[in-house]
Structures are given as structure tokens and as C-alpha cells.
Amino acid sequence: MDFLGFFNITTISIALMLIGSIGLILVKKPLDKVILFDIADAGFVLAVVAFKYLDVAFAIAILGPISTIVFLMSILKINEIRTKNSEGGPNV
């Protein structure tokens, strides 16, 4: 039986997107969410390349790290707000 015929680039990209998306929903730790976000992003780029939209893949490759940095900054801000509220600060 030929298992390599099943594992083409489209199947791998869909699997990466599903694993990353489901993991983002289920995982509670913020840094683990960043890792799973990058796994889903890698699957998305791979799917775009598989359908031969190379100009879009180039734009995604340029903007991908920027979105990861924004995601990390939002996690830090949320943690800062949570610690401020847990210390008994004013609820705004």
C-alpha cells in the first residue's frame, strides 16, 4: 500500500491548520497559543503555495512575523491588566 500518495502538500497544510486552530481553542497557556498560532499560520502559507498564489504567499511571509509580534504584545497587555485587577486596582 502506498502511503506517500496520501501525504501531499494540500493534506499536510489542512492538517497543520486544523491542529493549530483546535489547539488555539483548547489550550489555556498564552505562550502555547503563540506556538499553535504559528503552526496554523504555517499551514495557511503552505495551502496558499499549494494553490500557486505565490504573490499572496510572499505577502503572508512578510506580514506573518508582524502579526505574531502583535499577538505577543496583546498577550502581555492582557496579563498586565489581569495582574492589575487581581491586586485590587480600580476596575475601569
Side-chain angles (χ1 to χ4, degrees):
M1 189 168 189
D2 184 22
F3 288 111
L4 293 178
F6 178 72
F7 293 113
N8 57 15
I9 192 169
T10 309
T11 319
I12 293 171
S13 65
I14 290 172
L16 285 173
M17 287 189 289
L18 283 175
I19 291 168
S21 301
I22 292 170
L24 273 169
I25 294 169
L26 296 177
V27 171
K28 300 293 182 196
K29 293 181 183 177
L31 291 179
D32 292 342
K33 285 184 180 277
V34 173
I35 294 169
L36 290 165
F37 175 74
D38 286 334
I39 289 173
D41 188 37
F44 180 66
V45 171
L46 196 58
V48 170
V49 169
F51 291 112
K52 296 183 176 83
Y53 292 114
L54 299 180
D55 53 344
V56 177
F58 179 74
I60 294 170
I62 296 294
L63 298 175
I66 296 171
S67 66
T68 304
I69 291 171
V70 170
F71 193 57
L72 281 169
M73 289 172 54
S74 66
I75 288 172
L76 291 173
K77 188 66 175 177
I78 288 170
N79 285 337
E80 178 183 325
I81 291 170
R82 285 181 182 165
T83 56
K84 182 188 263 187
N85 286 340
S86 67
E87 291 174 355
N91 292 331
V92 178

